[in-house]
Amino acid sequence: MEQTKQVSIIHDFSKGNIPRQMLAFSAPFMLSNAMQVLYALVDMAVVGKFVGSYGLSAVSVASQVFTFMTMLALGFSTGGQVYISQLIGSSNQKALNRTIGTLFSVVGLMAAVMTAAGVMLRRPVLELLSTPEEAFAMAMDYMLVCSCGVVFTYGYNLVSAILRGMGDSRHPFLFILIASAVNLALDLLFVGVFRWSVAGAALATILGQGVSFAFAIFYLRAHKEHFGFDFRLESFRIDGGICRALARLGVPFALQSCAINLSMLFVNRLVNGVGVYASATFGVGIKLDDIINKVTQGINFAVSSMVGQNIAAKEYRRTRQIFFWGIGLSAACYLIFSAVYLRFSRPMFGFFTSDAPVVELAPVFVSAIIWSFPAMALMRGTNGLIQGIGNAPLSLCFALLDGFVFRIAFSYLLGTVMGLGLYGFFLGYGLAAYGTAVPGLLYFFSGKWEKRRLAIESR
């Protein structure tokens, strides 16, 4: 009976049918990521209907800043996922307790620092981003609420990463389903009934994530004997060796995400300069684009965890098959979404706002961003491989190319230098994805990843 419970948490991906395992593992994450996008879309829709385009602009800018604030913890959590998957792949589960305790403590400290930074620096940051004057006060409110609740965002993403490393994708989906339901109900209450404007939307999001995190902790404590962490106070002590190994993985992953997000903030600044309706269009477009990106990220998670276990087990042929299956499944998803996006762009944007200028700009955004989809499909395989083998420095290098070389350069070149304006900003934003996808594909075909030293061997 005890063995059966343990298997339900930890799954071995070094044998068995690859596409069936990938679909079974990624489907709950695809659904949970879709639910994450859903409650972000609910925020936008409710704000758009009850507050208007000024509110949409405020959420667009402030949510990008908040996403940047979460990057450090997300990177460290991704490093933890890789480390845990390699521990399991090498049958070294004894180190799980120290690894999980170290992760909890380090990420908790990060949350405290980021809360203080968000509260104190939100005004100069929003000014730096040329936030439209009409939306500035609401953006300040949104940032204040989200900064105070960042610990819940960090906590949920940490637990999800730990479970991904163990091969469990079902429970994170259940946790985010709870968060989405709470967020939807509170959004309608705070913004629609209480008229708390953008601050109400932020509070609904944070409380939803808080409830989700609480359920996640309750689940882990209830199954601590099978989970690998005992929740004793001394178990939260930071293990120096494990922390250094996690930092070697997590810091480059975090810097990778920060580089991309900083470049997004730069593009947002360019768009904000066009006006409040352009800012609102970009905000809605990014959220809609996030649907397919977050859904296929579930495949990325599957590739990463499956590669981590198979690399540790020295199953190189099987790792190649996982890589190609990840790209194929992602490409199918992007193809379907492209057809829907092109056909229904105006109605999709119109769901969030009745302001005609925003709806009329919808095809401009969609016709530009859709050029990024082939690259994004490739990246679900390449990024999953690079994360799974634990090559965080290479991942950081590719992200710097994506963000600071391609995304900023292309957006400025096409929009400002070549005079394409708003369409050029959108197009440059999308084409930057090839700065990561193409080098990643070349790295895979080079075969150098087979000789990569495991993260669990570098303590």
Side-chain angles (χ1 to χ4, degrees):
M1 180 68 177
E2 183 173 342
Q3 180 66 23
T4 302
K5 289 182 179 179
Q6 187 166 348
V7 170
S8 68
I9 297 176
I10 299 178
H11 298 273
D12 182 4
F13 292 131
S14 62
K15 60 180 76 69
N17 183 279
I18 291 174
R20 186 180 301 125
Q21 288 178 333
M22 186 173 291
L23 285 172
F25 182 66
S26 64
F29 278 118
M30 293 169 76
L31 290 172
S32 64
N33 285 346
M35 294 304 297
Q36 283 184 306
V37 175
L38 175 62
Y39 72 65
L41 292 176
V42 166
D43 281 344
M44 297 292 285
V46 173
V47 168
K49 295 300 182 184
F50 290 100
V51 184
S53 290
Y54 294 169
L56 286 176
S57 176
V59 173
S60 171
V61 178
S63 63
Q64 287 289 340
V65 179
F66 182 62
T67 299
F68 176 77
M69 292 172 62
T70 66
M71 291 298 104
L72 185 61
L74 288 175
F76 212 85
S77 297
T78 300
Q81 172 194 329
V82 172
Y83 197 85
I84 288 170
S85 67
Q86 290 188 5
L87 285 176
I88 293 171
S90 61
S91 300
N92 183 15
Q93 297 176 18
K94 293 182 179 179
L96 280 177
N97 194 69
R98 286 178 290 122
T99 301
I100 294 170
T102 299
L103 275 168
F104 267 113
S105 296
V106 171
V107 171
L109 291 172
M110 290 177 181
V113 172
M114 201 57 65
T115 294
V119 171
M120 293 187 294
L121 300 177
R122 67 189 193 282
R123 178 176 292 277
V125 169
L126 292 174
E127 289 174 346
L128 182 64
L129 293 175
S130 300
T131 305
E133 183 179 350
E134 304 92 330
F136 194 91
M138 289 184 286
M140 284 281 290
D141 292 341
Y142 193 96
M143 280 294 302
L144 177 62
V145 175
C146 288
S147 296
C148 292
V150 74
V151 64
F152 300 130
T153 305
Y154 276 34
Y156 166 74
N157 283 286
L158 170 62
V159 173
S160 293
I162 292 171
L163 291 173
R164 286 198 302 269
M166 293 183 169
D168 182 359
S169 58
R170 185 169 64 92
H171 288 96
F173 167 63
L174 297 176
F175 302 147
I176 201 62
L177 187 63
I178 294 170
S180 300
V182 172
N183 181 71
L184 174 59
L186 293 182
D187 251 327
L188 294 173
L189 179 64
F190 293 163
V191 182
V193 178
F194 294 167
R195 301 290 179 174
W196 288 352
S197 188
V198 165
L203 184 59
T205 298
I206 290 301
L207 289 178
Q209 292 179 343
V211 171
S212 176
F213 181 48
F215 271 90
I217 292 297
F218 177 81
Y219 168 76
L220 297 186
R221 285 184 61 87
H223 298 84
K224 59 185 179 183
E225 67 273 19
H226 310 298
F227 177 68
F229 186 64
D230 55 21
F231 281 92
R232 295 178 180 174
L233 186 61
E234 59 268 23
S235 296
F236 287 94
R237 185 182 299 113
I238 296 176
D239 183 292
I242 291 176
C243 187
R244 286 190 292 272
L246 290 172
R248 279 191 289 269
L249 289 169
V251 171
F253 282 142
L255 292 176
Q256 168 196 353
S257 300
C258 287
I260 294 174
N261 195 254
L262 277 174
S263 67
M264 291 173 65
L265 291 173
F266 177 85
V267 176
N268 208 327
R269 185 177 188 276
L270 293 175
V271 172
N272 290 342
V274 179
V276 69
Y277 292 117
S279 176
T281 301
F282 188 65
V284 172
I286 290 300
K287 293 300 183 185
L288 288 171
D289 186 44
D290 224 18
I291 296 173
I292 185 61
N293 290 338
K294 283 287 178 66
V295 167
T296 55
Q297 192 178 55
I299 298 174
N300 194 140
F301 290 155
V303 172
S304 176
S305 293
M306 294 174 75
V307 164
Q309 290 191 20
N310 280 275
I311 283 290
K314 302 188 184 305
E315 294 284 349
Y316 302 118
R317 181 174 178 274
R318 184 175 173 84
T319 301
R320 294 189 191 92
Q321 294 173 337
I322 291 168
F323 172 83
F324 286 116
W325 272 108
I327 293 176
L329 293 175
S330 298
C333 293
Y334 275 103
L335 186 61
I336 295 170
F337 187 79
S338 297
V340 176
Y341 214 12
L342 287 170
R343 176 67 180 83
F344 300 105
S345 61
R346 282 189 174 89
M348 291 171 76
F349 276 70
F351 176 75
F352 297 91
T353 179
S354 57
D355 289 336
V358 175
V359 177
E360 288 304 310
L361 284 172
V364 177
F365 179 87
V366 173
S367 61
I369 204 68
I370 205 166
W371 288 101
S372 69
F373 287 176
M376 295 302 297
L378 286 174
M379 285 168 59
R380 296 313 178 211
T382 58
N383 285 1
L385 174 79
I386 293 169
Q387 290 173 5
I389 64 176
N391 196 343
L394 181 63
S395 187
L396 172 60
C397 180
F398 288 170
L400 293 175
L401 285 175
D402 179 325
F404 294 119
V405 177
F406 290 101
R407 196 176 304 269
I408 291 176
F410 282 2
S411 297
Y412 183 77
L413 177 66
L414 294 173
T416 303
V417 177
M418 298 183 64
L420 295 179
L422 191 61
Y423 178 78
F425 298 148
F426 294 158
L427 183 61
Y429 173 88
L431 292 179
Y434 291 91
T436 297
V438 173
L441 197 61
L442 294 175
Y443 177 70
F444 169 77
F445 283 115
S446 74
K448 293 182 178 180
W449 51 273
E450 296 183 16
K451 304 175 181 65
R452 178 74 185 175
R453 187 182 181 187
L454 296 178
I456 57 175
E457 298 173 345
S458 60
R459 287 181 53 192

